[in-house]
Structure formats: structure tokens, C-alpha cells
């Protein structure tokens, strides 16, 4: 039976603690997405941004983050700008302009939006909603900008 010396055990414990703390820090690393929305310079009220991190939840009720952005506070020239701080990873955004200020996206009887909407990467619909794959982007440690054009459908 082999007996480990106290210094070897201490070294192993320190290494394990160091690795564990690095893994914990990696889980906490975040990046910043600056969202720049054009087409709202004459609008009033709010824009709502929903952040998704999987195809399974895409355009559903389960979101990573939901943010209400008052246009008057975020208007910078012709752009509405806001920042999102998120853990590093893959994301897709959906945005809508709440024309009637009821906090919900109004749709017609078959689910087509009646208020202006937009998606990350300016993904567009083609016989149904755009895919998560078309809207997804990677957020790394470097800040990124998502320039989104708001449009009526």
C-alpha cells in the first residue's frame, strides 16, 4: 500500500481548489450585446426585447431575459440603443414595438404580428416564423453590436 506524503496531498488539494474556482469563474463570465434598433425615431412608448438561448424555446414564453426599453430614454439620434449583459454563449433576440402600450405583442387571428417586430441578424420570415438558426449569434468576451431594423409585417 502506497502512502502519500502530506505535501503531495496538500498540492493535490490546492490544484483541485484552483480548478474548481476557475470553473466557477467561467460560469460567471458575461459579455455585452449592444442592441441598436432603427426605424423608431418617430415612435413613442416602449420596445420589448426577448432573449432566447435554444431552438426549443425560440419565440416561446420561456426566455433568458426580457427587457422593456422606453424609447424616449434610449433614443440616440435615429437609433434606439440598449445594452444586454448575458453569460457567454449563443443567443437570438426578438424585438417588438408596443404601439398600443399594453405590454403584449398584438397578433391577428392566425398569429401574425400586428405591431412592428424584428429579430437578431435581421432574420426574416418565409412561410412561417424565422428559424432560431437564422437569428442566432455568439456572444464572447468582446462586446458585440446587433443592428436591428424594425419593420411591420
Amino acid at each position: 500500500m502506497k502512502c502519500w506524503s502530506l505535501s503531495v496531498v496538500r498540492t493535490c488539494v490546492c490544484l483541485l481548489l484552483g480548478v474548481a474556482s476557475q470553473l466557477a469563474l467561467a460560469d460567471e463570465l458575461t459579455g455585452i450585446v449592444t442592441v441598436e434598433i432603427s426605424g423608431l425615431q418617430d415612435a413613442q412608448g416602449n420596445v420589448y426585447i426577448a432573449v432566447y438561448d435554444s431552438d426549443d424555446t425560440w419565440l416561446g414564453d420561456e426566455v433568458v431575459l426580457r427587457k422593456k426599453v422606453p424609447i424616449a430614454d434610449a433614443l440616440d439620434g435615429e437609433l434606439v440603443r440598449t445594452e444586454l449583459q448575458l453569460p457567454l454563449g449563443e443567443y437570438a433576440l426578438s424585438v417588438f414595438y408596443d404601439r398600443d402600450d399594453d405590454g403584449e405583442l398584438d397578433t391577428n387571428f392566425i398569429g401574425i404580428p400586428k405591431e412592428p417586430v424584428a429579430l437578431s441578424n435581421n432574420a426574416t420570415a418565409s412561410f412561417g416564423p424565422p428559424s432560431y438558426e437564422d437569428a442566432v449569434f455568439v456572444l464572447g468576451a468582446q462586446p458585440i453590436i446587433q443592428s436591428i431594423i424594425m419593420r411591420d409585417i
Side-chain angles (χ1 to χ4, degrees), residues 25 32 43 46 54 62 76 81-82 84 97 103 109 112 125 127 129 135:
L25 283 175
I32 295 185
N46 301 300
S54 76
E62 186 180 327
D76 181 10
R81 290 181 208 256
T82 191
L84 307 173
Y97 167 49
F109 70 99
I112 296 174
F127 300 107

Side-chain angles (χ1 to χ4, degrees), residues 15 21 51 68 82 103 120:
L15 285 173
S21 67
V51 181
K68 176 181 176 180
T82 191
S120 48

Side-chain angles (χ1 to χ4, degrees), residues 95-138:
V95 181
F96 80 91
Y97 167 49
D98 190 13
R99 256 191 202 134
D100 59 4
D101 204 27
D102 66 354
E104 296 181 12
L105 175 62
D106 296 331
T107 60
N108 67 15
F109 70 99
I110 59 172
I112 296 174
K114 293 167 59 176
E115 296 178 298
V117 296
L119 302 169
S120 48
N121 299 335
N122 289 303
T124 56
S126 176
F127 300 107
S131 71
Y132 177 77
E133 191 174 288
D134 289 340
V136 74
F137 61 90
V138 176

Side-chain angles (χ1 to χ4, degrees), residues 36-38 93 117-125 130 134-135 146-151:
E36 298 180 340
I37 306 165
S38 62
L93 309 176
V117 296
L119 302 169
S120 48
N121 299 335
N122 289 303
T124 56
D134 289 340
Q146 271 290 320
S147 297
I148 297 174
I149 301 167
M150 187 63 64
R151 55 187 90 157

